[in-house]
Amino acid sequence: MSGIVNTAQAEAWNGYEGRHWAAHDERYDAVNGGFNEFLFDAAEIGERDRVLDIGCGNGQVTRLAAGRAPLGGATGIDLSAPMLTTARARAEAEGVANVTFEQGDVQVFPFEEGAFDVALSRFAVMFFADPVAAFANVHRALRPGARLAFLCMTELAGTDLGAVFGALAPFLPTPTGADGTGPTSFADPARVRSVLTDAGFRDVTCTRVEADQVWGSDVPDAAGFIADWGPVKYHLGQVDEGTADAAREALSTALQPFENADDVRLRGTAWLVTASALR
């Protein structure tokens, strides 16, 4: 693996967080996969394109991108060894031959200059130690005129997920941090435009999109899954047993309005961001 500068994220994604995502890849894809078509429509992958998937995780987006570029291919890069193991196994099982996976830090990874025609990402660009440096390195990896498309979280306020996490607030800190930090660090389109422009990208657009996110088969299943998600699990471990039990009960209550006959389904929101790698 190449050098790492984002050491805190590397520790998380090679520890419990990464192992949980790797062990539950289909569940996380059920949460985030509803946004895939927005991403691929924006990326406009051609059959000969070379595609870079930033923060590829368990590799669903990488594999789907490879399918859209049968005469090209897709490369996924991620910090997480556990998720990359899952990604490679899924690609082999599905017979996706034109895909490769690299473990590394996007901010400093030694990409070949101009090696890619498209870069994309699904909810994985919000955690860079230095986002301008990371996107400048992506820009260098793209040929002139190449396309960038990614999804990132909006603010939590006023969303279904915000209501669910808000129910935990009397008992635990917000698991994603305050709006504008952590997973919501790109919630402000003005900041997105500033970072990408400083990194060399042009024609930046931010479009708000919505999709259903399936969190479980019923309330107990969804509540258990969310409680085992890294940030929530961590905060539950920092409080006494009574407070933790009260938080779990509040979580279950908050999920009840979203339970259907077959699943627990929240309406998710995201920013769909596009830009051009003009020189």
Side-chain angles (χ1 to χ4, degrees), residues 243-265:
T243 302
D245 288 344
R248 292 189 182 94
E249 183 176 351
L251 175 60
S252 294
T253 300
L255 288 168
Q256 286 173 2
F258 304 104
E259 186 177 36
N260 305 297
D262 299 320
D263 55 38
V264 175
R265 189 177 295 256

Side-chain angles (χ1 to χ4, degrees), residues 63 150-151 159 178 194 201 223 237 251:
R63 301 191 306 274
F150 65 80
L151 292 156
T159 68
S194 176
F201 288 93
L251 175 60

Side-chain angles (χ1 to χ4, degrees), residues 208-220:
R208 192 180 181 95
V209 293
E210 296 186 0
D212 285 345
Q213 297 183 294
V214 178
W215 287 88
S217 59
D218 55 25
V219 165

Side-chain angles (χ1 to χ4, degrees), residues 31-274:
V31 172
N32 293 322
F35 290 96
N36 286 351
E37 289 308 311
F38 292 117
L39 182 63
F40 287 119
D41 286 349
E44 298 179 352
I45 296 170
E47 65 176 7
R48 297 182 181 276
D49 279 346
R50 301 157 299 167
V51 184
L52 175 64
D53 183 9
I54 305 164
C56 66
N58 293 311
Q60 185 192 56
V61 168
T62 323
R63 301 191 306 274
L64 292 173
R68 286 163 168 76
L71 303 181
T75 298
I77 181 169
D78 203 282
L79 288 167
S80 176
M83 285 198 285
L84 289 172
T85 296
T86 297
R88 294 184 180 108
R90 292 292 188 191
E92 181 177 1
E94 294 172 12
V96 184
N98 61 333
V99 66
T100 59
F101 294 100
E102 299 282 354
Q103 186 177 11
D105 187 333
V106 171
Q107 186 173 322
V108 294
F109 192 84
F111 297 114
E112 178 185 350
E113 186 171 356
F116 298 100
D117 304 293
V118 183
L120 45 67
S121 183
R122 188 183 74 186
F123 300 115
V125 300
M126 302 91 72
F127 306 102
F128 295 131
D130 184 336
V132 173
F135 277 109
N137 197 34
V138 171
H139 186 276
R140 186 184 64 82
L142 292 170
R143 65 165 176 78
R147 301 176 296 285
L148 170 69
F150 65 80
L151 292 156
C152 58
M153 288 183 67
T154 67
E155 72 288 346
L156 288 175
T159 68
D160 288 355
L161 189 60
V164 170
F165 284 163
L168 295 173
F171 312 100
L172 306 174
T174 303
T176 57
D179 274 353
T181 65
T184 60
S185 62
F186 273 8
D188 181 0
R191 180 168 189 261
V192 174
R193 294 187 186 98
S194 176
V195 167
L196 292 181
T197 300
D198 288 349
F201 288 93
R202 298 294 180 266
D203 303 324
V204 181
T205 68
C206 300
T207 305
R208 192 180 181 95
V209 293
E210 296 186 0
D212 285 345
Q213 297 183 294
V214 178
W215 287 88
S217 59
D218 55 25
V219 165
D221 182 53
F225 178 58
I226 293 173
D228 279 342
W229 176 54
V232 179
K233 183 178 177 67
Y234 171 79
H235 289 305
L236 285 170
Q238 301 303 302
V239 298
D240 62 84
E241 185 175 348
T243 302
D245 288 344
R248 292 189 182 94
E249 183 176 351
L251 175 60
S252 294
T253 300
L255 288 168
Q256 286 173 2
F258 304 104
E259 186 177 36
N260 305 297
D262 299 320
D263 55 38
V264 175
R265 189 177 295 256
L266 277 63
R267 190 66 176 169
T269 62
W271 290 115
L272 174 65
V273 179
T274 63

